[in-house]
Amino acid sequence: AFLHFLNYPQAEIQIIQTLRQNYPQALGVDRALGSGSTGDFFAFFLLFRYILLFYSAISCVTGITAYAGNPVMNPNQIQLIQQTFAKIEAVADIATTLFYRHLFNLDPAIKPLFANSNMEVQRDKLMTSLRAVVNALDNPKVIVPELQAMGVRHASYGVADHHYKLVGDALILALKDGIGRDMTPAVTQAWATAYEWIADTMISAAHRAKAAA
């Protein structure tokens, strides 16, 4: 409660609590965060703040954020995706049409999986899913359950692991078509990183569901 009173970021509070649970003797945290020595508390407080300053310096130099809300992507990558997605939304019909064209060109064997699908509805679903993921990048855990459910559903439709690579390639190609020169190497890498996380989440869920069946 005292740490919340000091307006500590939640991530810092969690780290302190973890240290308290795992290393109470080494750091004297059992006394510092309990009813013991005030001196011990402020010694630990000072040490912890120096650690945070160290990681802040690393972040400035490398672009890596030590305690970001997204454990996979840094804030700059998230911003790049959100900015470019806004441009894609403006040409959503064209972009999604190009996505499926690229997908079927990359592997014509995929097309029968959509034989009973209304492609206009399918394109809308694609944009809705992308929008949900992009909006959740700052706090990706909120979208994980839906991605897991999608992974299980896709497996029931006949989607295999190797199809995810093709989908990722088609996505990058459609993005390049949609935003042209704005699809810089940094933007491409950001989207590739995001998609890899999406695919891994969906594939893992499908595997767990299959093993449990």
Side-chain angles (χ1 to χ4, degrees):
F2 181 71
L3 295 176
H4 286 286
F5 175 75
L6 289 179
N7 289 323
Y8 253 60
Q10 185 61 36
E12 296 183 16
I13 294 173
Q14 291 174 350
I15 293 169
I16 289 178
Q17 290 172 340
T18 300
L19 290 171
R20 179 184 183 184
Q21 293 169 1
N22 297 328
Y23 307 104
Q25 302 302 324
L27 294 176
V29 182
D30 52 339
R31 296 191 307 277
L33 297 183
S35 58
S37 167
T38 302
D40 281 345
F41 174 85
F42 284 103
F44 174 69
F45 173 87
L46 186 61
L47 172 63
F48 184 68
R49 296 305 294 179
Y50 273 122
I51 292 173
L52 291 181
L53 286 172
F54 172 74
Y55 276 107
S56 295
I58 292 177
S59 177
C60 290
V61 173
T62 66
I64 298 172
T65 302
Y67 308 121
N70 187 320
V72 177
M73 307 176 68
N74 63 52
N76 183 58
Q77 289 178 313
I78 293 173
Q79 184 179 40
L80 288 174
I81 288 178
Q82 292 171 340
Q83 289 173 344
T84 51
F85 181 72
K87 296 175 182 179
I88 288 296
E89 278 195 300
V91 291
D93 288 341
I94 296 173
T96 52
T97 298
L98 289 171
F99 165 80
Y100 284 106
R101 182 180 300 171
H102 285 305
L103 181 61
F104 299 151
N105 285 339
L106 288 170
D107 187 358
I110 290 179
K111 198 166 186 177
L113 295 176
F114 297 87
N116 298 319
S117 300
N118 181 319
M119 292 308 297
E120 183 177 349
V121 173
Q122 196 67 34
R123 291 193 294 271
D124 288 342
K125 287 182 178 180
L126 173 61
M127 282 304 297
T128 298
S129 297
L130 282 175
R131 186 180 300 110
V133 171
V134 169
N135 289 339
L137 286 178
D138 290 310
N139 187 23
K141 65 182 180 181
V142 302
I143 200 68
V144 166
E146 178 57 27
L147 290 176
Q148 292 171 333
M150 286 174 58
V152 175
R153 288 199 304 271
H154 280 62
S156 71
Y157 303 151
V159 174
D161 291 1
H162 72 275
H163 290 143
Y164 283 89
K165 172 66 166 58
L166 296 169
V167 170
D169 291 343
L171 176 63
I172 295 299
L173 290 171
L175 289 168
K176 288 180 178 178
D177 290 339
I179 63 176
R181 289 181 297 178
D182 289 337
M183 194 67 174
T184 64
V187 171
T188 301
Q189 182 58 52
W191 275 98
T193 300
Y195 179 75
E196 183 178 2
W197 170 73
I198 293 169
D200 287 346
T201 302
M202 294 176 67
I203 291 171
S204 296
H207 287 181
R208 286 194 298 271
K210 183 178 180 179

